[in-house]
Amino acid sequence: MSFVEYSDCIQDGDVAIVYLGHESMTPVKVKRGSQTQTRYGVIRHSTDLIGQRYGSKVTCSKGGWVYVLHPTPELWTVNLPHRTQILYTTDIATITMMLELKPGSVVCESGTGSGSLSHAILRTIAPTGHLHTVEFHQQRSEKVLEEFKEHRVDHLVTVRNQDACKDGFGVTGVADAVFLDIPSPWEAVRHAKTAMKKHGGRVCSFSPCIEQVQKTCEAFSDQGFEDISSIEVLLRVHDVRTVYLPLPDFGPDPSAQIQPDSTITPPQNHASIAIKTTIPPRDVQGHTGYLTFATKPRT
Amino acid sequence: MADNVDDDSLYTIKEGDYVVLKRGDVFKAVQIQTKKKVIFEKQWFFLDNAVGQLYSTTFELAPGGILQPRKPKDPESSTDTKGAGTDNRNIQDDGKSQKLTRDDIETLKEQGLKGQEIIQQLIDNSSTFKDKTEYAQDKYIKKKKKKYENIVTILKPSCRILAMMYHGREPGKICHLRYDTLAQMLTLANIHANSKVLVFETCAGLVLGSVMERMGGFGSVIQMYPGGGPVRAGVESFGFPAHFHDTLHEFPICHLNALIAGTLDTTAKDPSADLKESDMAAEVKTEAEVKTEAEVKTEAEQKGSPEEQSMETNSVADGSLVPKKEEEEEKRREAKAQEKKVKQEEKRKKLAAAASLLEGRNADGLVIASRFNPCPVLMALLKFLSPSRPFVVYSQYKECLIECYTKLKEQGGTVNLKLTDYWLRHYQVLPNRTHPVLLMSGGGGYLLSGTTVAAERSKPAASRRDEEPAPKRQKVTEG
C-alpha cells in the first residue's frame, strides 16, 4: 500500500480503510497482533487483514462484516483526524485541475493543516514531482510528516515549519504551482511569486470571506499576476429514493361506460404510484470558500 | 521532468506544436503550421511568427495577418481619463454622444490604426465620456478594448484550457460536460501515474486526454470505443510527447461480449471478419487466450500465403497476354494489399494487447462519459476492475444514473455510491464592484461514483443486499 500506488493485498504496516456501511468508515493502522473494535465485533489484524485482498469482506467476531478498502486521498479526506478545518474533495478536484497539476509538477502549499489537500497533491504529482509544504504550527507540521511517512509518500514532500507570510516557502524559482490556504493570503503573494519558476505557473488562494478575496486579488494584480479569476464550486448530493404518490379518488366516473358486472375493478382508495427519484439531503453545505486563481507570467 | 531546468527550449513554440489561441475568454486549439491561414474570432492570420517565441506570449495582429509580439503593456495613462462624473442624472441617451460615424471608424481601421489608438479616438469624440462615473468609464474602455484590440495569446494546451475551450465552443461534442465536473471525475476516479485505467467516452477524446495528462505517461489507459474506431481529436490537441501514446490501448466495445464469454479471437482481421470466424473460434478455443506474438505471426503467414499465391498466379497468367501497363497496375495493387495486410496485422496486435490487459480483470479505475445509456456500459465494464477501486460515470441526465444506482444496489459489489452534481459560480472581483457574474452555467451534468468490492459468491438471485451490513440477519462464511 501507498497513497500513490495501488497494491492488491493488505500488508503489515499498511493504513486500511474499514468500511462499516453507509458513509461510515474508519482508518486502521494494520499491525501484526493488533486488534480493532468495531460495532460488529473485533477485527484481528493478523488473521482478518494481513494477506487479505483489498476490497474483501471481513467477518467480525459478532458475525457482522465489513469491507476493507485500499486508501486513497479521497477516502483519507473523509477519515483523517482533524487538527484544523480541511478542504474537501469538491474543492480539491477543482484546485487540482485549475492549477494544472500532473505527474512531475512542483508545488508549494501553505498551510499544511491536516494534510487533506497535501495527500491529493502528492497522488497527482507522483512519481516525479515534489511538494514543498509550509506549516507554522510546529506540532501540526510534525504530525503531518509522521503521516506522510506512514503513508509512504514522504519521499515526495518536504515539510517546513515556518511562517509563509514572513519567511516564504523556503524555495526559489522551482514551483509550477502555489496553493494558499491561510488567513491573510495577500501577505504571502510576493513569496508565492518568488517560489515560482521563472517561466511562470499557476497560483490559487482559498478564502472563506469575500474581503479576503478582495485583498488577495489586489495583491495578485500588484505583483503582476494575470488571468485573475474567482470561483466557487459546490457539491450537490442526490439521495436516490422510491417515493409513492397517492392517487386521489374522484368518485365514480359516469362517463366511463362499463358493463355492470365487468371484471374491471374501480380504483382503490389507497392507490398510489411509485417513482424513482432523488431528493436533496436536508442540510447541505452552502459555502466552503472562494477559490481565486491566477497565472504568473514569465519574469 | 527535471525540477530546476530554466531552459527556454522547453517553453518555445515550435512548428508542428499543438497550441491554444486565446482572446478574452475564447479559446481555439490549432496546430502551428507555417503559411497556413487561421481564422479566430472573425480575424484571419498566419502563425508563422509565433515559431520561436515563448508560450503565453501575446501577439498583436498587424495588417496582412501577421503576428507581432506585443510590447510590454503600455502604461494605462494612454487612455487617459480626465475627470469623471458622480452620477448619470444629466446623461441623455440621444444616440448622438459619439461624434465619429461608422464610416469614420472604418477609415481609421483602414489607415492601420492600432486598437489602442482607435479607442482613444472614440473616447475623445464621446461627449458624455467625461460625465460618466469612473466605473462607467472603466466599463466603456473595457468594452471597446474587447472590440478593437486585435490581440491573441498563444498558450500551451492543458486539461484546464481544453476543457474550458470545449465547454465554451462545442458543448454538444462533449455531452455538455462542464470543466469543473471533469475535474471531479479525475479526482473521484483517483487517476494517477502507474495505474491501469479504463475509459469509455464519446467526448471527442477530451476525457481520454485528461486522464492521460494525469497519468503522465506512466501506467496504461485502455480506451473502450464504440463504432469503427476511437475518436481522438481532443487527445491530439493536448500535444502529448510520443511516449505517452505507448501507454494508450484501444478495445472495440463490440467485442466485449466475446471477451467476457471468453470467445474472442484476437487473430481475427477486422470486426466483420471476426463475425464470420466467431463460430469457428468458439469451437477451436473455448477460452480466448491471447496468442503469443509468434503464434499470431505464423498464423497470419499461413493465412496470407494462399492469397499471395493466387495473386501471383493471376499476374503471371495475365502478364503473358496483357501489356506492361496493366502489370504495373497489378504490382501497385499488390503493394496496396500488402500495406493493408501490414495494417491489419498491426490492428490485430493492438487488439491482442488490449485484450490481454483486460483479461487480467485487474484495472485500477473506470471512467465513463458518453452519449450512450450508461447502465449497460457500467455493468459490463465494472467486471474488469480489481476490488477496492474507484469508478465514475458521467451523464448529462440524472435519470439514467438513478437506473445505474438502483442496479448496483441490487447487484452488490460496490460501496460508497454517490450521485452528485456541481454548481459553479464565477465572481467579478473589483474594488467596490464585487459580485457574482451575471451569467452562470445551468447544468454541468451528473456523476455517479463508487468503489468496487469483492463480489458475493453464490448469492441467491432474488436476495437484495443492503449496503449496510446487517450483523444478525446474515452470517457469512467466506470460503
Side-chain angles (χ1 to χ4, degrees):
Chain A
M1 173 233 69
S2 144
F3 271 65
V4 296
E5 197 131 11
Y6 284 117
S7 45
D8 286 335
C9 292
I10 305 167
Q11 289 171 351
D12 197 6
D14 279 6
V15 172
I17 308 290
V18 173
Y19 180 84
L20 299 157
H22 197 66
E23 308 219 340
S24 167
M25 287 178 268
T26 183
V28 169
K29 276 180 221 167
V30 179
K31 201 167 166 245
R32 202 168 285 284
S34 184
Q35 293 188 350
T36 300
Q37 283 290 346
T38 74
R39 62 181 124 114
Y40 306 113
V42 170
I43 299 170
R44 291 184 177 80
H45 294 198
S46 305
T47 51
D48 297 339
L49 296 181
I50 294 171
Q52 298 291 315
R53 218 173 166 200
Y54 276 109
S56 43
K57 190 188 256 186
V58 170
T59 310
C60 307
S61 60
K62 287 185 197 160
W65 41 263
V66 298
Y67 284 111
V68 188
L69 303 180
H70 196 287
T72 66
E74 287 59 54
L75 290 174
W76 183 245
T77 287
V78 291
N79 284 296
L80 57 83
H82 283 221
R83 299 178 287 269
T84 55
Q85 269 279 8
I86 63 160
L87 281 165
Y88 287 95
T89 297
T90 307
D91 285 319
I92 290 173
T94 312
I95 292 163
T96 308
M97 179 197 261
M98 300 303 269
L99 286 183
E100 306 191 333
L101 304 188
K102 56 190 178 199
S105 296
V106 177
V107 186
C108 290
E109 176 201 35
S110 185
T112 320
S114 306
S116 172
L117 175 68
S118 315
H119 279 83
I121 293 175
L122 290 167
R123 173 265 317 274
T124 305
I125 65 174
T128 47
H130 199 87
L131 172 65
H132 298 274
T133 187
V134 170
E135 170 61 54
F136 68 178
H137 191 287
Q138 193 190 340
Q139 199 187 357
R140 275 186 222 145
S141 71
E142 283 163 7
K143 192 73 198 145
V144 86
L145 181 60
E146 205 177 289
E147 278 171 2
F148 289 144
K149 281 182 182 147
E150 271 173 20
H151 300 163
R152 294 171 195 142
V153 289
D154 52 313
H155 59 293
L156 295 164
V157 56
T158 309
V159 184
R160 289 183 175 84
N161 178 212
Q162 60 191 47
D163 184 349
C165 294
K166 287 203 184 78
D167 317 314
F169 294 90
V171 287
T172 307
V174 299
D176 296 290
V178 175
F179 177 78
L180 301 170
D181 178 10
I182 49 178
S184 52
W186 55 92
E187 291 177 20
V189 167
R190 63 193 173 92
H191 296 300
K193 194 177 174 185
T194 311
M196 292 172 86
K197 280 185 180 158
K198 181 169 162 254
H199 289 277
R202 296 277 295 166
V203 60
C204 174
S205 167
F206 174 94
S207 296
C209 305
I210 200 74
E211 291 82 0
Q212 293 169 305
V213 176
Q214 191 90 53
K215 283 188 177 176
T216 310
C217 284
E218 268 174 55
F220 278 144
S221 175
D222 291 346
Q223 291 291 328
F225 283 80
E226 293 171 353
D227 283 326
I228 303 164
S229 126
S230 295
I231 61 168
E232 188 182 19
V233 183
L234 282 178
L235 163 74
R236 298 206 304 164
V237 178
H238 303 261
D239 286 338
V240 180
R241 292 282 163 83
T242 305
V243 296
Y244 299 91
L245 305 178
L247 298 167
D249 180 7
F250 295 124
D253 184 357
S255 68
Q257 272 302 336
I258 309 162
Q259 294 89 335
D261 32 70
S262 97
T263 49
I264 301 162
T265 50
Q268 282 150 17
N269 272 346
H270 302 295
S272 64
I273 59 158
I275 295 175
K276 266 265 171 224
T277 186
T278 67
I279 54 165
R282 220 179 61 137
D283 293 310
V284 292
Q285 188 151 39
H287 179 66
T288 55
Y290 302 104
L291 293 169
T292 299
F293 295 95
T295 302
K296 177 195 163 293
R298 181 192 160 86
T299 41
Chain B
M1 261 172 269
D3 284 8
N4 239 327
V5 182
D6 251 354
D7 183 5
D8 271 350
S9 70
L10 279 174
Y11 303 89
T12 308
I13 301 168
K14 296 173 196 71
E15 192 172 354
D17 276 6
Y18 289 90
V19 304
V20 178
L21 309 177
K22 176 180 189 277
R23 188 180 160 193
D25 295 327
V26 187
F27 300 94
K28 181 177 183 163
V30 295
Q31 189 180 16
I32 298 277
Q33 287 170 315
T34 45
K35 291 181 186 138
K36 195 181 167 234
K37 201 185 259 187
V38 172
I39 297 167
F40 178 53
E41 287 284 274
K42 295 176 189 158
Q43 301 277 343
W44 59 266
F45 48 87
F46 296 95
L47 294 169
D48 301 41
N49 280 3
V51 176
Q53 298 289 336
L54 291 167
Y55 274 103
S56 304
T57 302
T58 297
F59 296 88
E60 214 143 354
L61 286 178
I66 293 163
L67 295 179
Q68 285 174 343
R70 189 161 67 156
K71 313 252 158 18
K73 242 186 187 171
D74 311 323
E76 285 296 317
S77 59
S78 58
T79 45
D80 186 17
T81 56
K82 302 153 205 141
T86 49
D87 57 45
N88 58 11
R89 75 182 74 190
N90 295 318
I91 294 179
Q92 307 290 330
D93 184 12
D94 53 7
K96 291 176 196 155
S97 55
Q98 183 54 253
K99 299 284 182 300
L100 290 180
T101 64
R102 185 186 288 261
D103 292 340
D104 293 339
I105 296 168
E106 283 306 314
T107 323
L108 289 177
K109 272 195 198 168
E110 275 160 30
Q111 284 169 359
L113 235 62
K114 287 205 170 149
Q116 187 79 19
E117 292 158 345
I118 295 177
I119 295 165
Q120 192 58 52
Q121 291 273 349
L122 286 169
I123 291 170
D124 292 345
N125 288 288
S126 165
S127 59
T128 50
F129 186 82
K130 59 182 186 308
D131 297 329
K132 286 177 193 270
T133 63
E134 200 185 312
Y135 303 135
Q137 287 180 351
D138 195 32
K139 200 168 169 182
Y140 181 86
I141 293 169
K142 269 191 189 153
K143 224 165 134 184
K144 296 300 171 194
K145 265 192 180 166
K146 208 172 165 189
K147 192 164 174 194
Y148 294 105
E149 263 197 342
N150 293 322
I151 53 168
V152 58
T153 306
I154 300 188
L155 300 172
K156 215 177 172 78
S158 71
C159 163
R160 168 180 75 99
I161 290 164
L162 292 172
M164 288 172 78
M165 179 192 83
Y166 269 105
H167 186 256
R169 289 178 81 88
E170 301 172 302
K173 273 198 183 163
I174 55 166
C175 308
H176 294 259
L177 169 65
R178 206 174 54 208
Y179 42 94
D180 58 307
T181 310
L182 174 61
Q184 305 299 328
M185 292 176 75
L186 297 169
T187 295
L188 290 172
N190 192 18
I191 304 298
H192 63 277
N194 293 317
S195 49
K196 185 201 277 192
V197 180
L198 302 188
V199 178
F200 179 77
E201 67 130 288
T202 59
C203 296
L206 171 69
V207 175
L208 180 66
S210 305
V211 167
M212 288 170 70
E213 182 182 286
R214 286 290 177 88
M215 296 184 59
F218 303 96
S220 48
V221 186
I222 306 150
Q223 180 185 16
M224 316 293 290
Y225 65 89
V231 176
R232 290 184 182 162
V235 179
E236 293 243 303
S237 300
F238 280 83
F240 292 128
H243 73 270
F244 272 53
H245 293 273
D246 301 339
T247 66
L248 177 58
H249 301 82
E250 61 209 42
F251 187 87
I253 202 96
C254 63
H255 285 350
L256 200 65
N257 277 336
L259 184 75
I260 291 169
T263 54
L264 179 71
D265 180 6
T266 49
T267 59
K269 286 190 173 169
D270 56 66
S272 55
D274 186 53
L275 285 179
K276 276 179 247 158
E277 287 174 30
S278 61
D279 291 357
M280 192 185 71
E283 269 184 64
V284 177
K285 301 179 282 143
T286 44
E287 48 180 60
E289 287 304 20
V290 183
K291 305 205 154 194
T292 64
E293 240 166 63
E295 272 177 314
V296 172
K297 262 185 193 156
T298 47
E299 197 164 316
E301 273 159 24
Q302 280 164 4
K303 274 186 188 164
S305 49
E307 275 173 41
E308 269 165 38
Q309 278 166 9
S310 68
M311 240 174 231
E312 269 167 41
T313 47
N314 276 346
S315 63
V316 169
D318 296 346
S320 56
L321 296 168
V322 294
K324 247 186 181 172
K325 208 177 176 186
E326 285 202 10
E327 212 173 278
E328 271 168 25
E329 181 101 330
E330 196 66 44
K331 261 186 193 161
R332 212 181 312 140
R333 219 176 294 161
E334 211 174 304
K336 234 182 184 174
Q338 194 63 38
E339 200 179 294
K340 203 176 161 193
K341 214 182 290 168
V342 171
K343 266 192 186 159
Q344 280 178 341
E345 174 70 8
E346 242 166 57
K347 208 174 165 187
R348 183 166 56 237
K349 263 189 201 161
K350 273 186 173 172
L351 182 70
S356 75
L357 276 172
L358 287 168
E359 267 162 356
R361 298 200 173 201
N362 59 354
D364 296 316
L366 169 63
V367 176
I368 299 171
S370 80
R371 61 189 148 78
F372 292 92
N373 183 15
C375 194
V377 182
L378 176 64
M379 293 305 157
L381 294 184
L382 267 184
K383 298 184 177 109
F384 295 97
L385 287 192
S386 278
S388 194
R389 298 293 189 270
F391 61 89
V392 59
V393 191
Y394 167 83
S395 174
Q396 197 186 340
Y397 315 104
K398 191 171 70 173
E399 287 70 16
C400 42
L401 294 182
I402 293 179
E403 188 196 345
C404 292
Y405 184 98
T406 312
K407 198 94 183 254
L408 286 175
K409 283 277 188 184
E410 273 174 29
Q411 189 180 291
T414 57
V415 294
N416 272 336
L417 288 184
K418 257 205 183 107
L419 178 48
T420 55
D421 77 330
Y422 301 86
W423 193 79
L424 174 68
R425 194 154 194 167
H426 285 263
Y427 287 83
Q428 168 182 300
V429 182
L430 288 170
N432 297 316
R433 283 157 293 165
T434 297
H435 58 70
V437 170
L438 295 179
L439 265 178
M440 61 187 277
S441 154
Y446 298 85
L447 296 182
L448 177 68
S449 60
T451 308
T452 58
V453 290
E456 302 251 343
R457 264 167 277 168
S458 64
K459 185 169 58 80
S463 90
R464 286 190 179 195
R465 201 175 52 82
D466 270 344
E467 200 175 32
E468 200 123 12
K472 292 207 172 106
R473 214 176 58 207
Q474 51 196 129
K475 213 171 210 179
V476 187
T477 43
E478 283 276 272

